[in-house]
Amino acid sequence: MMTFYNILILIHIISAIIGIGPGFVLTTIVKHAHTMTDIRFAFTVKRRLHHFIQVGGALLLLSGLLLGVITPSLFQQGWYLTSLVLYLLVLILGATLLRKISAPIRQMLADQTLTETPAYYHELRNRLLRVEYAVNALLLVIILLMVLKPF
């Protein structure tokens, strides 16, 4: 029989898969889109998957905090606090820098008269990918902290 704590851990793990997993794939989809048709499709897929990332990410944060409330000693563990701070940093980067960088790309995609990829798109895409790679690296560190609990 599973305890409430075990159920929360299961929810936390599933939330991590749903909330973090797609982010590692989205960069590849966008990176390999070159024509305007492909780019529009890539960003449509990205937007649709982002809903899963938002729900999974919110549930991930909520379940992680609930685990800490149930077991207050977690708030004294370095790996837990570091993971929490890094995750909050990821959320801030998503809400600020990633949104700011992707705004001109969204404007470009909204222009249905564009049939050829504008030259400036590649610079914007590369900036976006660099930040997304950094976010993915932070998420990988968080996963390693959760699994290894090194301190």
Side-chain angles (χ1 to χ4, degrees):
M1 186 166 125
M2 291 186 73
T3 65
F4 180 67
Y5 189 82
N6 288 340
I7 291 169
L8 264 181
I9 289 176
L10 180 62
I11 289 170
H12 192 67
I13 292 168
I14 291 169
S15 299
I17 293 167
I18 294 169
I20 295 174
F24 290 106
V25 177
L26 292 178
T27 53
T28 303
I29 293 170
V30 169
K31 184 177 181 178
H32 294 288
H34 299 291
T35 68
M36 280 307 294
T37 302
D38 289 348
I39 293 167
R40 283 191 175 96
F41 179 74
F43 278 90
T44 298
V45 169
K46 186 175 182 166
R47 187 182 73 250
R48 289 180 181 163
L49 285 177
H50 190 68
H51 297 296
F52 289 99
I53 292 171
Q54 288 177 315
V55 171
L59 198 53
L60 182 64
L61 180 61
L62 179 64
S63 62
L65 289 173
L66 277 173
L67 288 165
V69 168
I70 291 171
T71 311
S73 63
L74 286 176
F75 288 104
Q76 298 170 353
Q77 302 294 316
W79 63 268
Y80 180 84
L81 293 173
T82 304
S83 296
L84 190 57
V85 168
L86 291 177
Y87 195 70
L88 292 174
L89 178 60
V90 165
L91 293 176
I92 291 168
L93 285 173
T96 58
L97 194 55
L98 285 174
R99 185 173 296 206
K100 179 183 175 187
I101 293 171
S102 62
I105 295 173
R106 284 192 307 272
Q107 285 179 327
M108 179 198 79
L109 295 174
D111 184 355
Q112 294 300 319
T113 63
L114 282 178
T115 57
E116 298 295 319
T117 307
Y120 66 88
Y121 165 74
H122 298 288
E123 181 183 328
L124 292 172
R125 183 204 61 192
N126 290 341
R127 283 181 56 207
L128 181 65
L129 288 175
R130 279 193 298 274
V131 176
E132 287 179 345
Y133 290 145
V135 165
N136 286 346
L138 289 172
L139 290 169
L140 187 57
V141 168
I142 292 168
I143 292 169
L144 290 173
L145 288 170
M146 291 282 142
V147 172
L148 299 176
K149 299 172 179 50
F151 53 93

